[in-house]
Amino acid sequence: MTEENEIKEIMELPLLASRGVIVFPHMVIPLLVGRDKSVAALEEAMMEEKKIIIAAQKDETVEEPDIDDIYSFGTIAEVKQLVKLPNGMIKVVVEGLERAEVIDYLDTEEYFLVEAASRPEEKVEVTTNVNALMRTVVKEFEEYIKYNRNLPAETIMSVSNIEDPGRLADVISSQVELKYKQLQELLEATDIIVRLEKMLNLLQDEIEVLKIEQDINKRVKKKVEKNQKEYYLREKMKVIQDELDEDKSTTDEIDDYCEKLEEADLPEKVAEKVEEEIEKLDRTPNMSPEATVIRNYLDCILDLPWNKETDEEIDIKNSEEILEADHYGLKDVKERILEYLAVRKIAPAKKSPILCLVGAPGVGKTSLGRSIARALDRDFVRLSLGGVRDEAEIRGHRRTYIGSRPGRIINAMRDAGSKNPVFLLDEVDKMSSDFRGDPASALLEVLDPEQNKEFGDHYLEVPFDLSQVLFVTTANVAHTIPAPLLDRMELIEIPGYTEDEKLKIAEGHLLPKIYEDHGLKEDQINISSNAILKVIREYTREAGVRNLERKLAAITRKVAKEFVEGRDHKALVAVNSVEKHLGLPDYEHQESNLENRVGVATGLAYNQAGGDILDIEVAVVPGKGELTLTGSLGDVMKESAQAALSYVRSKQNELNLSDGFYKKYDIHIHVPQGAVPKDGPSAGITIAIALASALTGRKVRGDYAMTGEISLRGRVLPIGGLKTKILAGRRAGIENFILPKKNENKFKEIEKEITRDLNVSFVSHMDEVMELLLLEDENHAD
Ligand code: ADP
């Protein structure tokens, strides 16, 4: 007992012996109470003023403490809350009020009843020194919080606002994790300065301990990190190991290539090249882009059929059977092909021309190519040249180019798998040339037997032998095939089919294929002949059968769908159900306009899609003698118009035209369907008759269609594509034709089914045309 802290009040209170907990004034704390004496003490307190003195046991392990086992210095507390728990224990919340010292034990039987003297806090003047001490304590507490993660940072706020020094020490005491003996010392320190100093010392000690702890933690962490580092290195080592393994696989790869090289039995030069490249690959880092380039090259070169060849036995009889089985009609074409094969059989070494199948889309060019391969028992490859304008597409890029690859020819040979396939070059008429070189001349080298033994592809670098390949080419029209190519070719024209032929092709060839493709059997579907004819007439307008094939496939699809949806009996597609499947017709089955008209004549034209009829219109209006031509006409057609005009001028008298009529009128020649480019000389006589009609005002017979080139003097010259044109005229319902006399022999070659009921006039001069077609009329233009 110190002099400064005198005993203020003596009171009688129950005592609670606490274990491990020191209650400070101002502290609100929950306690769990279970021992009988303690429970009884609490009960007693509740009966009085709810006050109790809480003093700690000196040894917390003692179950039944005696007087001596309890510190005499404690805290008077008020019981704020008391809850009895089901297990007989009591949970209380107490608030420390003031320090107190036990003076005497009055009763120890049921509970401890003591006489205690309170030790209220005396007021201390906050001098500079005290203030400095307080601040140091707060600072150290701050430091302590930094090291002790369990305390929230806000605690510092509540502490730094405390102005009472004694209270400051007490509040901090309740926050810092101290041993309870140290806490008891703080409790017993009734001198506030001493208490603060003690607090400061304890804080510093604690901080020191925490620092050391942290240091140890760091070291432990470092150790863990070191372990992690080792783990990482070990992982890395694994990757390196894998890499090393891959190196092993590189050697495997090199071995593979060497093996393939041996097996391939390559020509000497090629083998040398391959060997060189393999060595290069061996020296190149596995993952480098360069290695990929070499690998691609090796794969390409080793894939090519340098020595693989299929046996060829040309058996004309067998070939004929195959061609016959695959295609309906095409009598001439088949014959020409067989002749060609026969010549190859008799004189294999001889330089034979290249076959070129010319015809509109869907007339069977590609499938003929396939048949030829089948007939010869050769592999078949196909390459479309449509739109090829870069020489490199034929010959490849040098390997110095990024992403370079072989040209299309070599690529196709890779696909072919043998060095003597039938190689179909589609659309040779659609190649164009520009600044990137002339693909046609590259193609010439491909086709020329003198040169193609050593065909040079830029990518390949070593020559490839194409001399065993049987090239077959196709084109829609002959006149756009580059001249040097045309020179080497033997043209076989496929003119297109009549309705009847189309019907036979559909029934005999297209439908069986279509049904099979759609998984239908003959006993499930039947499309009647009349239905097919309706499709031919009203849903297609073509020389070939491509659209017909599509439309029939569309009908079959619809029927196949019905079967999927549960249909259980055969589907009969009759003529009246075509519209149900295909919608309204695309074309009217129109008879052409057979009316007689002034200034209009019907020509027969030959174009990419086969043949067609073409009305040529001429209008004459007063003017200065200008000649205008419209409707996308090519130069040749324009020249034809000039020639026609010259002819008409030479007939001035016969036609009753006034002197210099051509200077007084402007003449406008138009060919409808302006968007479709048209060219060729064969519209000459048609233009001339339309012109004469327009100038004289005499009508032209509308039931005739004509074709023929005209010379300045009016001679009528022969034209090409005769059968195609006749077929087109027939499709349009025309029966009367005017054709050049010089084409008469060709005409006789056309199958009788096509020409039988036609009325054909063969003419050699334009005068005859005028005679036949120009009707007498009074309305003169002049
Ligand atoms: P192209 O190559 O001339 O454009 P395709 O060879 O591709 O024409 O022929 C189109 C379709 O018509 C193919 O299914 C083909 O078998 C068929 N075809 C064409 N003509 C006949 C024919 N005369 N006999 C049998 N089927 C033919």
Side-chain angles (χ1 to χ4, degrees):
M1 195 189 303
T2 54
E3 289 151 13
E4 308 94 81
N5 296 313
E6 277 167 38
I7 300 166
K8 283 278 160 71
E9 200 183 336
I10 308 279
M11 43 193 141
E12 222 170 85
L13 285 173
L15 178 139
L16 182 88
S18 69
R19 290 201 278 190
V21 183
I22 308 289
V23 179
F24 281 85
H26 317 299
M27 189 179 189
V28 177
I29 188 172
L31 298 172
L32 205 58
V33 181
R35 288 183 291 188
D36 292 346
K37 265 191 179 155
S38 306
V39 172
L42 273 172
E43 274 168 357
E44 172 61 23
M46 293 309 282
M47 303 223 272
E48 297 291 322
E49 289 170 67
K50 297 189 182 172
K51 285 198 180 149
I52 194 166
I53 176 161
I54 301 174
Q57 276 178 220
K58 291 176 185 164
D59 180 352
E60 48 183 310
T61 58
V62 176
E63 253 322 293
E64 299 260 321
D66 218 341
I67 297 169
D68 295 339
D69 294 327
I70 303 168
Y71 285 117
S72 58
F73 221 93
T75 305
I76 297 171
E78 189 183 314
V79 181
K80 288 270 170 199
Q81 208 180 36
L82 184 142
V83 183
K84 288 199 172 151
L85 300 178
N87 57 4
M89 306 238 312
I90 293 176
K91 195 178 154 193
V92 282
V93 177
V94 296
E95 183 183 0
L97 298 175
E98 56 186 343
R99 287 172 163 79
E101 196 173 359
V102 176
I103 301 168
D104 199 6
Y105 278 81
L106 302 174
D107 192 355
T108 57
E109 272 310 300
E110 215 182 328
Y111 58 90
F112 294 115
L113 181 68
V114 298
E115 209 175 44
S118 71
R119 297 256 182 184
E121 217 67 355
E122 68 173 297
K123 281 270 167 262
V124 184
E125 202 190 330
V126 183
T127 59
T128 327
N129 277 352
V130 174
N131 203 5
L133 184 58
M134 283 172 72
R135 270 204 218 162
T136 319
V137 169
V138 171
K139 250 212 197 111
E140 287 299 311
F141 183 58
E142 235 172 84
E143 183 82 359
Y144 172 83
I145 285 180
K146 255 194 240 159
Y147 286 104
N148 187 332
R149 292 267 161 84
N150 298 333
L151 285 177
E154 299 87 65
T155 348
I156 191 71
M157 293 290 287
S158 57
V159 166
S160 55
N161 288 335
I162 298 173
E163 283 169 5
D164 180 64
R167 191 168 168 201
L168 176 69
D170 286 350
V171 170
I172 293 179
S173 306
S174 61
Q175 302 284 353
V176 181
E177 283 173 34
L178 292 170
K179 290 195 191 78
Y180 80 96
K181 278 193 178 124
Q182 293 168 323
L183 289 169
Q184 182 67 29
E185 274 175 36
L186 282 169
L187 186 69
E188 288 180 13
T190 44
D191 183 327
I192 286 165
I193 305 299
V194 172
R195 197 191 297 168
L196 274 175
E197 277 172 354
K198 226 182 225 339
M199 187 75 242
L200 186 60
N201 281 341
L202 286 171
L203 276 175
Q204 281 169 342
D205 286 354
E206 273 307 297
I207 290 169
E208 209 47 46
V209 172
L210 284 174
K211 266 189 188 165
I212 293 168
E213 248 176 40
Q214 214 169 54
D215 190 42
I216 293 170
N217 274 345
K218 260 191 206 153
R219 264 186 285 160
V220 171
K221 199 171 159 213
K222 247 193 207 147
K223 200 168 163 219
V224 174
E225 273 172 5
K226 194 175 152 235
N227 284 346
Q228 267 177 349
K229 193 172 159 196
E230 274 172 19
Y231 169 79
Y232 172 73
L233 284 175
R234 227 167 276 135
E235 284 301 300
K236 204 165 165 183
M237 202 149 86
K238 265 193 217 153
V239 176
I240 293 170
Q241 199 71 43
D242 284 353
E243 198 82 348
L244 291 174
D245 276 354
E246 232 179 66
D247 242 20
K248 211 174 93 229
S249 80
T250 312
T251 33
D252 285 353
E253 188 184 31
I254 299 289
D255 289 348
D256 271 1
Y257 279 129
C258 289
E259 216 169 281
K260 273 192 199 156
L261 168 64
E262 254 169 58
E263 281 169 14
D265 181 27
L266 303 177
E268 202 178 316
K269 256 197 213 163
V270 183
E272 272 169 27
K273 178 78 189 160
V274 170
E275 226 166 285
E276 240 174 63
E277 293 292 322
I278 294 177
E279 273 167 30
K280 212 154 86 188
L281 180 63
D282 202 11
R283 289 194 305 268
T284 314
N286 196 21
M287 307 297 268
S288 69
E290 173 76 356
T292 313
V293 171
I294 301 175
R295 244 177 254 134
N296 287 344
Y297 177 76
L298 282 170
D299 289 343
C300 170
I301 208 165
L302 288 167
D303 252 9
L304 278 170
W306 295 96
N307 274 322
K308 268 182 240 152
E309 206 169 325
T310 52
D311 294 334
E312 176 179 290
E313 172 70 48
I314 301 184
D315 176 346
I316 298 296
K317 185 103 196 68
N318 180 41
S319 302
E320 191 179 348
E321 275 164 19
I322 287 175
L323 287 177
E324 240 0 281
D326 287 354
H327 294 94
Y328 173 83
L330 299 177
K331 206 166 125 254
D332 294 355
V333 178
K334 290 174 189 162
E335 224 157 76
R336 292 275 296 280
I337 292 174
L338 289 173
E339 279 166 22
Y340 177 85
L341 297 180
V343 172
R344 274 183 77 95
K345 185 181 161 93
I346 297 163
K350 242 183 131 195
K351 192 171 148 180
S352 52
I354 309 291
L355 277 186
C356 181
L357 306 170
V358 184
V363 293
K365 301 182 295 295
T366 311
S367 68
L368 274 171
R370 237 177 255 280
S371 272
I372 294 173
R374 212 156 80 84
L376 298 177
D377 209 7
R378 291 194 188 205
D379 290 315
F380 177 78
V381 274
R382 177 182 169 204
L383 169 61
S384 176
L385 295 168
V388 168
R389 48 178 61 207
D390 188 347
E391 199 181 327
E393 293 203 40
I394 305 285
R395 255 191 227 283
H397 285 287
R398 283 185 203 292
R399 267 204 290 159
T400 42
Y401 271 78
I402 293 174
S404 60
R405 56 205 144 95
R408 294 200 196 191
I409 301 283
I410 289 298
N411 249 343
M413 289 310 292
R414 241 176 120 171
D415 293 341
S418 59
K419 62 185 283 200
N420 61 338
V422 169
F423 196 138
L424 190 79
L425 291 161
D426 251 342
E427 307 195 306
V428 278
D429 55 332
K430 301 272 166 46
M431 263 187 316
S432 51
S433 59
D434 64 7
F435 62 94
R436 279 168 294 195
D438 180 5
S441 69
L443 194 63
L444 212 54
E445 192 189 319
V446 171
L447 297 175
D448 184 356
E450 306 265 290
Q451 297 179 60
N452 70 9
K453 211 169 165 36
E454 302 228 307
F455 172 66
D457 181 283
H458 292 321
Y459 178 83
L460 216 53
E461 292 172 16
V462 280
F464 188 84
D465 178 10
L466 291 173
S467 62
Q468 304 302 309
V469 177
L470 175 61
F471 286 104
V472 177
T473 59
T474 82
N476 286 144
V477 285
H479 65 257
T480 52
I481 300 175
L485 277 176
L486 198 58
D487 252 11
R488 311 278 155 105
M489 287 175 179
E490 179 173 341
L491 298 186
I492 300 183
E493 232 177 282
I494 310 179
Y497 303 108
T498 59
E499 269 176 20
D500 196 40
E501 283 174 321
K502 285 181 185 175
L503 179 62
K504 294 238 167 60
I505 292 173
E507 289 180 329
H509 296 265
L510 303 180
L511 284 174
K513 244 192 312 181
I514 293 171
Y515 294 162
E516 198 187 321
D517 289 350
H518 289 79
L520 289 178
K521 306 244 155 39
E522 301 268 343
D523 59 0
Q524 289 180 303
I525 179 170
N526 180 282
I527 303 180
S528 78
S529 303
N530 280 334
I532 298 172
L533 271 178
K534 185 176 167 81
V535 176
I536 294 171
R537 287 179 182 153
E538 296 175 32
Y539 292 85
T540 67
R541 181 149 293 180
E542 57 179 350
V545 292
R546 185 163 295 174
N547 286 327
L548 176 61
E549 192 175 19
R550 277 193 204 125
K551 295 286 176 187
L552 293 175
I555 295 178
T556 311
R557 249 195 321 275
K558 295 256 160 72
V559 172
K561 192 165 156 252
E562 286 176 16
F563 274 100
V564 171
E565 286 166 355
R567 185 188 185 92
D568 58 0
H569 56 282
K570 186 166 180 170
L572 298 171
V573 182
V575 72
N576 49 13
S577 52
V578 172
E579 279 188 24
K580 186 184 104 194
H581 292 299
L582 296 181
L584 289 177
D586 298 328
Y587 306 96
E588 281 170 50
H589 182 54
Q590 125 236 13
E591 298 297 317
S592 60
N593 187 352
L594 301 178
E595 237 177 88
N596 304 332
R597 286 171 292 175
V598 174
V600 183
T602 306
L604 292 166
Y606 177 59
N607 59 26
Q608 304 276 343
D612 208 349
I613 59 162
L614 205 61
D615 276 350
I616 290 181
E617 304 171 354
V618 179
V620 178
V621 289
K624 297 196 297 271
E626 269 175 23
L627 177 64
T628 318
L629 297 133
T630 52
S632 299
L633 309 185
D635 287 343
V636 179
M637 200 145 173
K638 284 181 185 160
E639 281 165 16
S640 253
Q642 292 284 0
L645 182 58
S646 298
Y647 164 77
V648 174
R649 276 174 63 184
S650 74
K651 290 284 152 189
Q652 184 181 332
N653 292 337
E654 285 92 328
L655 293 170
N656 281 327
L657 299 174
S658 63
D659 271 353
F661 70 91
Y662 51 90
K663 285 190 207 141
K664 294 186 232 152
Y665 293 98
D666 283 343
I667 297 169
H668 182 177
I669 301 177
H670 178 69
V671 185
Q673 293 190 347
V676 184
K678 309 164 194 82
D679 204 4
S682 68
I685 61 169
T686 324
I687 297 173
I689 196 77
L691 193 54
S693 159
L695 285 167
T696 57
R698 288 162 63 182
K699 285 182 176 164
V700 183
R701 280 186 68 163
D703 54 350
Y704 267 84
M706 70 211 81
T707 178
E709 185 177 344
I710 187 171
S711 78
L712 287 179
R713 303 261 184 98
R715 280 192 305 124
V716 176
L717 308 175
I719 47 82
L722 186 67
K723 183 174 166 186
T724 308
K725 289 176 175 172
I726 302 281
L727 282 170
R730 279 194 71 117
R731 275 204 295 278
I734 288 171
E735 288 169 1
N736 305 308
F737 291 85
I738 292 180
L739 303 175
K741 182 100 183 139
K742 291 246 168 67
N743 279 116
E744 195 167 359
N745 286 337
K746 272 253 183 264
F747 182 82
K748 285 184 182 147
E749 288 170 13
I750 299 174
E751 296 89 321
K752 287 288 160 303
E753 301 97 82
I754 299 175
T755 57
R756 196 183 305 130
D757 29 82
L758 297 183
N759 166 33
V760 183
S761 313
F762 293 100
V763 296
S764 50
H765 199 277
M766 187 61 209
D767 291 355
E768 298 165 61
V769 184
M770 302 261 263
E771 188 69 42
L772 276 165
L773 297 190
L774 213 52
L775 299 172
E776 285 303 331
D777 204 311
E778 292 78 48
N779 302 329
H780 286 238
D782 194 46

